[in-house]
Amino acid sequence: MKNFALIGAAGYIAPRHMRAIKDTGNHLAVAYDINDSVGIIDSISPQSEFFTEFERFQEHAQQLRRNPARALDYVAICSPNYLHHPHITAGLRLGADVICEKPLVPTPELLDELALVERETGKRVFNILQLRHHEAILKLRDKVATAPTDTKFDVELTYITSRGKWYMESWKGDPRKSFGVATNIGVHFYDMLHFIFGKLQRNVVHYSAESKAAGYLEYERARVRWFLSIDANDLPDDIKGKKPTYRSIDISGEQLEFSEGFTDLHTTSYREILAGRGYGLADARHCIETVNVIRTAKIAPPGADAHPYVQRLLA
């Protein structure tokens, strides 16, 4: 049984980490969040210590180090994006390996900094890249790998996940903290595209606003037109008022169906990490480089390589 700490216990994704810790037979020793809306802990790990001040959390973790049986083995991080880097560093310096949500950090330079701290502490950082464990994604990857090597697939990725007015009032609506909508809701899709289609060769941005973004990515094995949005007005007319989310990945005329199968992917990710097969800094680099370019790129005039929704926005 491994001892875990959880930073960001009141966040949306934190319960998946709590359940993954429990379902893999491990112990959530201590949790931290500046907010105290963490009653979910009672149904998963009611004996866990909990702190709302980071200094008290850190001091408690240091005290645990004095007893090898109680010392932290892992620190899981679900805090806001802009806090990932300092929280990862703190976890490593507590003598624990770290499991962190996406995006790991906003820039490749901060990945390099984390690599230095890994070397200094002898501990590892693992990124939750759960789509790499999804059955439909793995089947598509195999299909692409067995296609003729000169085949380049045409992909249209559309992801609209409606968010209310609260979103812009939260840290997620502040690009200094979330690093923008393409990073916050899209980073795992860019990792998925790299995982399936290989190295990125071209990265063009056609539209960028606080609630949506669009562009073109060309990989070794695919040409991808993408559109991401949190604006309900972008939903297709036939699902407006019926569903808050629309996810479509069209691959050379065929739809990739992966609306199901997400329930246990965090637990699968934890099992792989605990078995020594987790995804580390090198695995996260490609999607971090991709979103870093998207955030800083100049907007290009939309042409034939633009997502169909872009023309509708500009009309």
Side-chain angles (χ1 to χ4, degrees):
M1 181 180 289
K2 302 293 184 182
N3 294 318
F4 279 77
L6 178 64
I7 295 176
Y12 161 78
I13 206 68
R16 297 189 194 183
H17 287 259
M18 295 180 198
R19 292 189 183 100
I21 292 166
K22 180 179 180 179
D23 291 347
T24 53
N26 295 295
H27 171 53
L28 178 58
V30 55
Y32 157 74
D33 202 293
I34 61 171
N35 299 305
D36 58 10
S37 298
V38 292
I40 187 69
I41 294 177
D42 288 345
S43 64
I44 300 172
S45 183
Q47 302 306 314
S48 301
E49 299 290 341
F50 175 71
F51 298 96
T52 58
E53 296 168 325
F54 190 76
E55 294 82 358
R56 294 181 63 216
F57 161 80
Q58 201 166 30
E59 175 61 21
H60 180 77
Q62 290 286 7
Q63 291 176 5
L64 293 178
R65 293 185 74 178
R66 298 191 182 121
N67 182 344
R70 300 182 66 206
L72 296 176
D73 298 293
Y74 289 90
V75 174
I77 296 172
C78 310
S79 54
N81 298 352
Y82 74 107
L83 294 175
H84 286 179
H85 182 264
H87 285 160
I88 292 169
T89 300
L92 294 171
R93 297 202 184 284
L94 285 170
D97 290 325
V98 172
I99 300 172
C100 186
E101 271 296 336
K102 320 161 287 296
L104 203 57
V105 287
T107 67
E109 290 75 20
L110 285 177
L111 276 183
D112 295 337
E113 286 289 324
L114 291 180
L116 287 175
V117 183
E118 278 191 333
R119 290 197 290 272
E120 290 168 356
T121 60
K123 296 299 178 179
R124 293 283 312 280
V125 180
F126 300 98
N127 201 189
I128 295 291
L129 300 173
Q130 75 269 31
L131 289 185
R132 295 190 181 203
H133 300 299
H134 195 290
E135 185 178 354
I137 302 301
L138 292 170
K139 286 182 178 178
L140 176 58
R141 190 175 189 239
D142 290 341
K143 177 181 177 180
V144 171
T146 57
T149 55
D150 61 347
T151 302
K152 192 166 264 197
F153 295 84
D154 289 304
V155 179
E156 190 172 285
L157 166 63
T158 310
Y159 181 54
I160 303 163
T161 178
S162 307
R163 296 289 184 265
K165 294 180 180 179
W166 67 268
Y167 187 96
M168 289 303 171
E169 292 297 320
S170 75
W171 65 265
K172 296 181 180 183
D174 185 343
R176 298 169 302 174
K177 296 180 177 181
S178 68
F179 313 122
V181 69
T183 299
N184 194 49
I185 71 169
V187 66
H188 58 298
F189 286 118
Y190 303 127
D191 176 71
M192 176 197 74
L193 291 168
H194 160 59
F195 183 65
I196 297 170
F197 298 113
K199 292 182 181 178
L200 183 61
Q201 298 173 328
R202 190 168 174 235
N203 188 345
V204 179
V205 179
H206 293 126
Y207 189 92
S208 182
E210 65 178 10
S211 64
K212 64 198 76 176
Y216 174 78
L217 297 163
E218 186 160 347
Y219 295 86
E220 291 175 295
R221 303 298 304 277
R223 293 176 289 264
V224 183
R225 299 186 297 173
W226 61 270
F227 178 83
L228 304 174
S229 174
I230 59 167
D231 185 352
N233 293 316
D234 293 322
L235 290 167
D237 291 337
D238 60 337
I239 71 166
K240 279 183 180 176
K242 300 176 183 176
K243 296 180 181 180
T245 299
Y246 175 71
R247 183 192 292 112
S248 171
I249 302 180
D250 183 286
I251 303 155
S252 296
E254 293 185 18
Q255 278 286 322
L256 172 64
E257 175 52 51
F258 71 122
S259 56
E260 304 296 334
F262 285 91
T263 307
D264 299 320
L265 291 184
H266 275 70
T267 298
T268 301
S269 297
Y270 269 66
R271 287 198 179 103
E272 291 295 299
I273 291 167
L274 291 162
R277 297 186 296 267
Y279 292 115
L281 297 181
D283 300 293
R285 182 171 292 275
H286 196 283
C287 63
I288 296 302
E289 291 175 342
T290 302
V291 294
N292 187 52
V293 170
I294 289 171
R295 278 197 312 275
T296 58
K298 291 183 179 180
I299 304 301
D305 58 356
H307 192 284
Y309 281 34
V310 175
Q311 295 295 349
R312 188 172 72 181
L313 289 173
L314 298 176

